[in-house]
Amino acid sequence: MPEKPFLAGRQEFGALYGVKPTQVTQWLARGVLNYDRAVIVSGSPYWLLSFVRGFGETTPRPKELDQAALKRIVAAQEPGTWSQSVEKIPPLLGLQEATQLFGVASQQSMAAMVRKGPFTVPADYQLSGSKLWLLDTLIAAAPELQAKSRTLPWAINTQVAAALKQKRYNGPGSVIVPRGLAAKAV
């Protein structure tokens, strides 16, 4: 199994600095924060926790890190590693990528199967309200899903799996889609 680096989504990022997740979005809009130390999974950014931990020291007005929040985030992701390189983050999948990997008809169908079954693969991460899986976790779970299923084949789309492994996946979820006023400006 690949190393699992500690990560933070907008909610965890905000919790570490005592701000709402919308403040993290504002930092992005103002250019205080960017996606250089993040991966995009199902259209959302997830930053290396090592970067987030030091972020407050790099801002014009330093922000104090909530050590208790940091301990909770780390404990929820154990076993994990403190990675400094985005390149070392193994391929991650959210609902959008998992939908493509298994050839499920829609993301809504996949979400329902995750909530109610038959998709019972424990998430490797629970970040900012979203379940995320390592690609290797889902590939390893496919035979069991296939054995239990009466209706879906749960066959791995090898092209999607290869693109994810090679970090060249550009399907649904690979970019952040503007929402709200930002979507109207596009």
Side-chain angles (χ1 to χ4, degrees), residues 13 17 27 31-34 37 50-64:
F13 205 131
Y17 290 102
W27 290 337
V32 175
L33 176 63
N34 61 42
R37 298 284 181 94
S50 58
F51 165 75
V52 176
R53 181 176 58 181
F55 175 77
E57 300 166 6
T58 64
T59 58
R61 291 181 294 181
K63 303 207 177 302
E64 192 169 323

Side-chain angles (χ1 to χ4, degrees), residues 17-117:
Y17 290 102
V19 299
K20 293 181 179 180
T22 53
Q23 179 65 49
V24 177
T25 304
Q26 290 174 3
W27 290 337
L28 287 160
R30 292 192 308 234
V32 175
L33 176 63
N34 61 42
Y35 301 116
D36 289 353
R37 298 284 181 94
V39 292
I40 308 303
V41 181
S42 284
S44 295
Y46 298 94
W47 290 270
L48 289 167
L49 192 55
S50 58
F51 165 75
V52 176
R53 181 176 58 181
F55 175 77
E57 300 166 6
T58 64
T59 58
R61 291 181 294 181
K63 303 207 177 302
E64 192 169 323
L65 185 72
D66 182 334
Q67 294 295 329
L70 179 63
K71 286 179 183 176
R72 284 190 304 273
I73 292 167
V74 168
Q77 295 181 44
E78 287 289 3
T81 61
W82 288 97
S83 180
Q84 302 296 319
S85 171
V86 174
E87 289 76 34
K88 292 194 176 192
I89 299 174
L92 290 172
L93 292 81
L95 286 175
Q96 291 184 40
E97 295 85 1
T99 299
Q100 298 302 307
L101 181 70
F102 288 114
V104 175
S106 70
Q107 181 183 339
Q108 291 79 9
S109 296
M110 186 71 183
M113 287 186 269
V114 167
R115 268 193 321 275
K116 301 175 187 175

